[in-house]
């Protein structure tokens, strides 16, 4: 979709829908007052009839309104003028997108009236949010079926803003669009079938991304190379699969100064059967989504290659498949990690932490400013925070707080769990330096505790996205979260 920011509505929109806010109170504001006047009070009459409402997210579609040059007029409830909070504005955008996608319009003209902002400085945030929601609403997964070609019609969006906001909003809309494109890419990778989306497939994606800009280079480590590095935990997972594991490194240098990079590390288990500690069959297909952490790293790197921000970011993906096999790891096996610490594999289904721990040691070589790992790590995280909230665990409260705020800004919600030393003893093993599971109490936290033992060399945060990465049931599919949160974090550092 093409998004443009202008200071006045286009004179001759074609097959379009004009979108305006309707605020509470007797007096109409901004564009609504304007349109009402030009249409001979079409809006006040609709209000009187009870058809229009100013409740945030209520919509009314009108057709061929006098004085409106677009074929359609969409009136969206926006609560009290200059009082709308961020969550309500997101609802406003979602409602707008839903209505527009149901009509035949190929273009929309959205009035970003200043009555939608609490303070004028927020205009850019509104433009970015609207761009993300609109582009996101166009997503369809079409890669596995010829019949599923896109039914979405919207091609063009014009955001009409105040002259003094035009510049900031233009940049913000572009940012929003790149974030949404990155998120769509993450969803595609997540939704792809696990027989196609294998570790080698993901490695090829990295090489393709690197072709789009000289600022990004891709380096792929094979199992033989990981063997030489002593990544015994990582290899203990992929040894049970015919698919070879890969450690995929995408190095983006945008600062021009070789600053300490931010490292984004994604769990890329392309299918998780549980291994010898095999999972029950019901819903096992959903374990193709066990690479959604990796997908979000790919999504962020894709947005970065579109925006080319002035910062350094390394995206690393630990890609492996967890299968039961004659050569698979057994419960009770002891492996030596790249860090030298030994791990007793008490449950082969706790494989995410095994591929991640060696990757955490590997990324020390980048001398990172911070490392953020993203992983569909524990069912316990879903129990704790549901499908709404990403869990943040960190060895640095400032970093955790920054990530929390990035979630608040983008609506890609996240909340910190404690990583206190009191939990560490749950990982004690009688036979090795640690076990790979901590028992059922606080399962998300003990998984974080396990990772923390490999992340002592730098500031680090772990995002458990087991709840938020995909939806089940009728809406089954990847969400592309937490690409918006990651991008908010990355761009604030640029
Ligand atoms: N990929 C799963 C976590 C998961 C489970 C995500 C369900 C989303 C929904 C992970 O590899 C796993 O199997 N974790 C185990 C850990 C346990 C054995 C300590 C779990 O959560 O059951
Ligand atoms: Mn597992
Ligand atoms: Zn897993």
């Amino acid at each position: 979709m093409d998004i443009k920011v202008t200071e006045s509505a286009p004179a001759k929109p074609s097959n379009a829908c004009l979108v305006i806010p309707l605020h509470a109170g007797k007096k109409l504001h901004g564009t609504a007052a304007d349109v009402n006047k030009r249409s001979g009070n079409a809006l006040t009459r609709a209000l009187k009839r009870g058809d229009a409402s100013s409740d945030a997210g209520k919509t009314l579609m009108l057709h061929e309104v006098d004085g409106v040059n677009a074929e359609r007029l969409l009136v969206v409830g926006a609560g009290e003028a200059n009082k709308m909070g961020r969550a309500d504005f997101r609802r406003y955008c979602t409602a707008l997108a839903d209505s527009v996608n149901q009509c035949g319009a190929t273009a929309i003209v959205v009035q970003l009236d200043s009555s939608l902002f609490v303070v004028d400085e927020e205009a850019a945030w509104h433009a970015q949010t609207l761009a993300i929601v609109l582009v996101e609403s166009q997503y369809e997964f079409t890669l596995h079926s010829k019949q599923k070609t896109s039914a979405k019609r919207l091609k063009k969006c014009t955001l009409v803003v105040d002259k003094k906001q035009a510049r900031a909003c233009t940049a913000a809309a572009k940012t929003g669009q790149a974030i949404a494109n990155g998120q769509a890419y993450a969803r595609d990778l997540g939704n792809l079938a696990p027989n196609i989306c294998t570790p080698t497939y993901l490695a090829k994606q990295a090489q393709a991304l690197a072709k789009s800009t000289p600022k990004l280079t891709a380096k792929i480590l094979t199992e033989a190379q990981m063997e030489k590095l002593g990544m015994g935990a990582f290899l203990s997972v992929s040894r049970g699969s015919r698919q070879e594991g890969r450690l995929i490194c995408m190095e983006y240098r945008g600062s021009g100064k070789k600053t300490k990079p931010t490292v984004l590390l994604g769990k890329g288990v392309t299918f998780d059967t549980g291994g010898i500690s095999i999972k029950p069959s019901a819903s096992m297909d959903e374990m193709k989504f066990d690479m959604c952490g990796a997908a979000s790293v790919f999504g962020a790197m894709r947005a970065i290659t579109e925006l080319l921000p002035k910062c350094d970011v390394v995206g690393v993906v630990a890609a492996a498949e967890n299968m039961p096999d004659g050569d698979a790891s057994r419960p009770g096996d002891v492996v030596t990690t790249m860090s030298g610490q030994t791990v007793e594999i008490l449950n082969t289904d706790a494989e995410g932490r095994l591929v991640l721990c060696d990757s955490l040691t590997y990324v020390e070589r980048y001398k990172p400013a911070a490392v953020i790992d993203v992983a569909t790590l524990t069912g316990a995280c879903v129990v704790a925070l549901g499908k709404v909230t990403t869990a943040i665990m960190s060895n640095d409260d400032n970093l955790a707080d920054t990530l929390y705020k990035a979630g608040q800004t983008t609506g890609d919600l996240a909340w910190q769990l404690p990583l206190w030393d009191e939990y560490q003893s749950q990982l004690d093993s009688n036979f090795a330096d640690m076990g790979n599971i901590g028992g059922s109490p606080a399962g998300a936290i003990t998984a974080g505790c396990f990772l923390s033992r490999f992340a002592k060399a730098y500031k680090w945060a772990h995002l458990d996205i087991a709840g938020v990465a995909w939806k089940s049931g009728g809406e089954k599919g990847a969400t592309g979260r937490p690409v918006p949160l990651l991008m908010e974090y990355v761009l604030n550092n640029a």
Side-chain angles (χ1 to χ4, degrees), residues 267 269 272-274 279 287 290 322 347-352 377:
K267 171 181 173 183
V269 172
D272 180 13
T273 63
K279 287 182 182 294
M287 280 300 131
D290 212 16
N322 188 21
N347 189 319
T348 65
D349 198 7
E351 85 297 339
L377 206 61

Side-chain angles (χ1 to χ4, degrees), residues 400-472:
D401 197 47
T402 308
L403 291 165
Y404 162 76
K405 286 185 177 130
Q408 290 295 302
T409 303
T410 53
D412 193 356
L413 303 177
W415 188 260
Q416 187 180 7
L417 299 181
L419 262 194
W420 292 324
D421 286 344
E422 282 80 351
Y423 293 102
Q424 290 282 355
S425 60
Q426 287 181 237
L427 294 169
D428 287 352
S429 158
N430 286 353
F431 308 108
D433 294 337
M434 68 194 88
N436 76 328
I437 55 172
S440 72
I445 293 173
T446 53
C449 285
F450 181 94
L451 295 178
S452 74
R453 297 175 179 213
F454 301 85
K456 294 212 160 112
Y458 41 67
K459 283 184 196 173
W460 157 81
H462 156 57
L463 302 179
D464 194 333
I465 59 162
V468 305
W470 75 88
K471 292 180 181 167
S472 307

Side-chain angles (χ1 to χ4, degrees), residues 10 36 79 110 182 184 291 309 335 363 456:
N36 194 48
V110 183
M291 39 60 70
V335 295
V363 301
K456 294 212 160 112

